[in-house]
Amino acid sequence: QKTIDYLVKGLKTGLSSSYSDLASSRPWILYWSVHGLSLLGYDFDQDSELVTRCLKTLKLCQNKSGGFAGDFLELSHTAPTYAAVLSVATIATEEAYDLVDRPALYSWLLEMKDEELKAFHVQKDGEVDTRGLYTVLAVASITNMLTPELIEGVAEFVGLCQTGEGGVGGEPGNEAHGGYAFCALAALHILNRFDTIDLDAFTHWIVSRQMRAEGGFQGRTNKLVDSCYSFWQGAIPALLHLIPGYDATNLINFDPNDIDSVEVELNSGPYEIVNVGQDIFYDENGSLLSDQLRLQQYILVCCQFIEGGLRDKPSKHRDQYHTCYSLSGLSVSQHYGLMKGLPNEYFPLVWGDKKNLLERTDPVYNVEVVKLKKTMEYFRQDKFASNHNELVGQFQNRK
């Protein structure tokens, strides 16, 4: 409840002057807050004031030429556009859906495509990287505008960004990085193309990013653990698990019985393991290639702020960004990798009290799954254009 209060207060009463450096991240702050609230079970239908404030902000950030900017009267950028569309999906009302100008958005996304690299600039004349690529694909996929013209050649760019370590960087030749690695694999999920990267090398890289002492993830080799990577890195094992026909378990030298040191910690307090079988961390029926319970411990024990909200690590202060991605990583670790029986049957894995169980987020888009399905179904109605010629024509007819 304290975390809910913290996030609601930031949306309703504004933020302190310490957030002035994030003035060009309004849609991001909004998304971090509403998504965190969504995972905590907040009922937006019962808070019209909060919803109205959120939608007003998004309207002011949307440009007539397409896309959303980070602040009023700025250039559109793929990152705040992604945050805006995810916020719309999280609020999940028809008023929110109709706020998105799809024809203008599609035309702008096409303008961002680099004809030589086949990936996307993050803004006009901006950099071309895997972050821009993923955010464009996520937005287009959610709003039903993932046309052949938009995605042509995109998967091949992802392959160019894989490094000798096995992970993926932002651009060809860059160091492998957790955020970019997530963007790369999530983009390949949207495209349903996994042939452009070496998945085995990628798997070796990601399983080395969870730190044994803390239980959390680092973003790059030889870096400190950071709770935001609970999602950026923590979602990757879930994404690997969801690739049809891919089984990386034979790559990992792992003994499921070698959990004595962790059992001591789990049994040292008044905690309850919910829906956990005899093999806690690895189950041949589907557990992830990560230590899900240890990650949950790091988030819940080390990253919670006593007044509400979550932080990077002990000694750091809370903020909306780390609150959002800590909760997102917690949700993924609870809801994925323990599939049993039919495809839609699973048992959540929860460390601590049953009240720690969050709503289920989608590991590709990071939107609560029920709301994501509702949003995608809305934009797939016959009344919405979904092919290239119709979308371009609708926008050009306005001129």
Side-chain angles (χ1 to χ4, degrees), residues 84-222:
V85 171
L86 265 57
S87 298
V88 163
T90 301
I91 293 171
T93 63
E94 190 166 333
E95 180 185 5
Y97 299 150
D98 292 342
L99 180 151
V100 181
D101 187 341
R102 293 175 68 257
L105 174 59
Y106 181 75
S107 295
W108 176 73
L109 294 178
L110 282 176
E111 289 179 16
M112 294 304 103
K113 187 160 187 178
D114 186 283
E115 290 303 316
E116 180 179 353
L117 295 173
K118 301 300 182 182
F120 299 90
H121 295 271
V122 295
Q123 64 180 39
K124 185 177 181 180
D125 299 324
E127 64 268 30
V128 177
D129 58 23
T130 49
R131 171 189 52 156
L133 181 152
Y134 163 68
T135 52
V136 167
L137 294 181
V139 164
S141 175
I142 290 172
T143 57
N144 193 25
M145 301 188 297
L146 202 65
T147 65
E149 291 79 4
L150 196 66
I151 68 175
E152 187 264 327
V154 169
E156 285 70 22
F157 179 81
V158 174
L160 295 175
C161 297
Q162 188 168 25
T163 75
E165 285 187 275
V168 178
E171 301 172 355
N174 284 183
E175 180 185 9
H177 182 283
Y180 293 116
F182 165 81
C183 288
L185 190 57
L188 295 180
H189 265 278
I190 294 171
L191 296 169
N192 195 25
R193 285 279 308 276
F194 304 102
D195 58 311
T196 62
I197 66 169
D198 184 336
L199 284 174
D200 289 352
F202 190 91
T203 299
H204 273 291
W205 178 80
I206 186 58
V207 298
S208 299
R209 302 282 72 78
Q210 187 174 17
M211 298 294 96
R212 181 180 296 274
E214 299 93 333
F217 282 88
Q218 61 180 186
R220 291 177 286 163
T221 302
N222 295 326

Side-chain angles (χ1 to χ4, degrees), residues 278-309:
Q278 187 173 8
D279 293 331
I280 295 180
F281 298 112
Y282 183 80
D283 186 315
E284 63 181 1
N285 293 318
S287 288
L288 304 182
L289 292 173
S290 61
D291 194 328
Q292 292 164 254
L293 289 179
R294 288 284 284 142
L295 177 59
Q296 292 183 34
Q297 283 182 291
Y298 177 70
I299 295 169
L300 293 170
V301 176
C302 300
C303 299
Q304 290 197 84
F305 208 71
I306 193 168
E307 288 89 1

Side-chain angles (χ1 to χ4, degrees), residues 209 211 214 216-219 223-234 295 298-299 303 311-313 316 319 321-322 325-326:
R209 302 282 72 78
M211 298 294 96
E214 299 93 333
F217 282 88
Q218 61 180 186
K223 295 294 183 178
L224 297 176
V225 167
D226 184 330
S227 67
C228 73
Y229 292 113
S230 300
F231 176 77
W232 296 123
Q233 298 280 41
L295 177 59
Y298 177 70
I299 295 169
C303 299
R311 55 193 175 188
D312 166 357
K313 57 178 66 69
K316 298 291 185 177
D319 58 65
Y321 171 79
H322 286 94
Y325 289 110
S326 294

